[in-house]
Amino acid sequence: MNAPRPTVKAKRIVILGAGGHGRVVLDILLQAGPHQVLGFLDNNAEIHGRRIDGLPVLGAIDDLPAVAEQQGCDGVIIAIGDNGARRGLARRVEAAGIDLISAIHPSATLAHNAMVGRNVVVAAGVVVCAHCQIGNSVILNTGCIIDYQTMIGEGTHICPGVRIAGRVKIEPGVFVGIGATVIPKVTLGCEAIVGAGAVVIEDVPALATVVGVPARRVKLATASEDVAAMLLPARM
Ligand SMILES: CC(C)(COP(=O)(O)OP(=O)(O)OC[C@H]1O[C@@H](n2cnc3c(N)ncnc32)[C@H](O)[C@@H]1OP(=O)(O)O)[C@@H](O)C(=O)NCCC(=O)NCCS
């Protein structure tokens, strides 16, 4: 039996991002309740004024303060797949004093003591086991499994069908591709990328891309200022 969802006060919310992920997030919100979705904001001017899955695209993302005032919006969720963009925008929204809300599909199973942050998307069929911690702006995509005591850092995307074992530590900004598997107690470093279908059996350094079975490193990215600041304490 699913743990009871915490009681959430209904908000009038806007979804930032009207692409494919935005439509998934809308569906989750409509199925989950209790919020009222007012529409989308998206930077693609070609879709402004159109309706997507029945709801209007109200303007660009920078229009949020004005739209929030006009429409009485008091909550936002960011439906942007890019991890860095989602994390950065979340910080701007919070700095503007607008609440970030999470969307949890009713078919997801969350342990009673799992902790879930703000602006988190938990899609259909996800399982989050006991003592897991899910950071802000994380996407747990369709049907992924997060086993006990795993920690997932801010702005990470766990793609559909991924299996993360127990006591895994996932640092901020990680991307785990569709169908990948991570064995227990492994650490995935900041902004690491795990390829679709990979099986990760050892720690992955920050900024590395790993692919295959077992996963091997194929790339190492350069740290942005944001990421360099996060990595600094670990290197001292
Ligand atoms: C891992 C990934 C991000 C790499 O993308 P990239 O940085 O553009 O890397 P490249 O395509 O240049 O590939 C680099 C090497 O890794 C190999 N490779 C890439 N992805 C692989 C994968 N999933 N499994 C096995 N090998 C892979 C490539 O064949 C290439 O090998 P080579 O150097 O011997 O030719 C991408 O291939 C991937 O798997 N993305 C997952 C997408 C996904 O899950 N989307 C779901 C969204 S909900």
Side-chain angles (χ1 to χ4, degrees), residues 141 157 159-160 175 177-178 193-197 209-212 216 218-219:
N141 223 324
H157 183 176
C159 286
F175 176 88
I178 192 162
I193 295 173
V194 175
T209 297
V210 298
V211 300
R216 64 186 165 87
V218 288
K219 290 188 180 179

